[in-house]
Each structure stands twice: as structure tokens, then as C-alpha cells.
Amino acid sequence: MPVRPATARDAGFLRRILQEAYNWNGEQRFTAEQLAADPHAERYVADWPRGGDFGVVAETGDGEPVGAAWARCLPEDRPGYGFVAADVPELTLGVLPAHRGRGLGRSLMEALIRAAAEQAGPVTRISLSVEDGNPAARLYTSLGFVRAGRQGGSDTMVLDVPGRRG
């Protein structure tokens, strides 16, 4: 499937994918309304895109979005779940259920890593949080992410962006 850069017109779709990411196990643990009302979740998508944000969207041949991965820096006083430092963008990844298991998550992650390498400024690492039991942890590890910490039932993982030095 084609993967393209995420734009401002993707903001609504990113909210939908955020819900998929939060409900990665197939259970409806969080509704769209609950996530919109949760400041911790909302910080991943509020005012998309802000300066320094970058992301990618996978589409069907008909141009229908089916998955996305994006990253943004969050301040130390409003960190996300995968917070490492204010200058390390935290990423979010999700694929609509009907399109999972086809390698789309890997394609999105590879495209996002390339986008990170092309960013102006000091993007040398990207981070994420992955809950225990989430099969995406194997994908992250295979792409070079390493465990950098633990909070509750989740690991924080970090990738040194290939081709970038701090």
C-alpha cells in the first residue's frame, strides 16, 4: 500500500488511529470520547500538525487511509507515555483492524524512521511506549528499538535514528 506524509487534513484520521493504538488488543477499552477528554491522550493529536511534528499515512489504492504513524515532541511538564526527553519525539502507530497482519505496521514504521532522518533540527532519537503483551513490541525490537525504561505495565523504547548523530 502507498505510504505518504501526514498533513493537517489527516488530523481526524490520526484521532481514529490513536483510538486503535490505545485499543491494540481488540477490546474497546477506550472510546473516542474518552480519549478526547483525556489530556494525556489528547496531547498526541491536539493541533496536528505543530512545528516539528512528522508522520506518515498508509492508503489503499483508492486513497482510503488505513494506518498511520506519527511523532511529536512533548514538553517535560506534559510528557507522554514514552517520554525520554523534550527533544525526543514520541511516536504513535496504528492500523485499522481489517488491515492488520499484512506488514503495514512495518511499512509505516520504516517510512516514519526515514522521515525522522530527514527532519531538520536535532531529531537523533525517537521513542515509544508499548504495553506488556502487545505483539508490536516484536516489530519495534526488529527495527532496532531498545528498552530504555519501564512505567507500570509498559516499556519505554528508544531508537537512535540511523544516519543522525547528536
Side-chain angles (χ1 to χ4, degrees):
M1 284 188 192
V3 175
R4 62 165 174 79
T7 67
R9 71 175 197 273
D10 294 308
F13 183 67
L14 297 186
R15 286 182 184 284
R16 182 175 176 195
I17 290 299
L18 180 68
Q19 183 180 4
E20 294 297 335
Y22 268 69
N23 293 320
W24 61 267
N25 64 356
E27 296 176 17
Q28 183 70 19
R29 299 184 301 166
F30 303 93
T31 66
E33 295 76 18
Q34 286 172 319
L35 293 179
D38 177 357
H40 206 114
E42 182 64 12
R43 66 189 60 169
Y44 290 104
V45 291
D47 303 318
W48 174 267
R50 297 187 310 220
D53 290 352
F54 58 98
V56 292
V57 174
E59 296 179 326
T60 65
D62 296 332
E64 174 147 358
V66 296
W70 68 97
R72 71 174 5 170
C73 290
L74 297 171
E76 191 168 345
D77 64 342
R78 291 184 52 230
Y81 293 108
F83 185 83
V84 173
D87 65 346
V88 177
E90 295 183 49
L91 73 88
T92 304
L93 167 70
V95 175
L96 296 179
H99 297 275
R100 292 181 185 157
R102 303 178 189 175
L104 195 50
R106 177 174 293 280
S107 294
L108 285 163
M109 288 295 295
E110 289 171 347
L112 187 73
I113 292 166
R114 284 191 303 274
E118 295 167 1
Q119 288 297 301
V123 176
T124 59
R125 298 182 298 161
I126 53 179
S127 68
L128 59 84
S129 176
V130 61
E131 285 183 276
D132 293 346
N134 188 332
R138 289 188 306 275
L139 168 64
Y140 304 143
T141 300
S142 75
L143 291 168
F145 282 82
V146 295
R147 186 172 176 234
R150 183 145 179 91
Q151 182 176 355
S154 299
D155 286 331
T156 298
M157 301 183 80
V158 175
L159 174 73
D160 289 327
V161 176
R164 297 299 294 257
R165 299 207 190 298

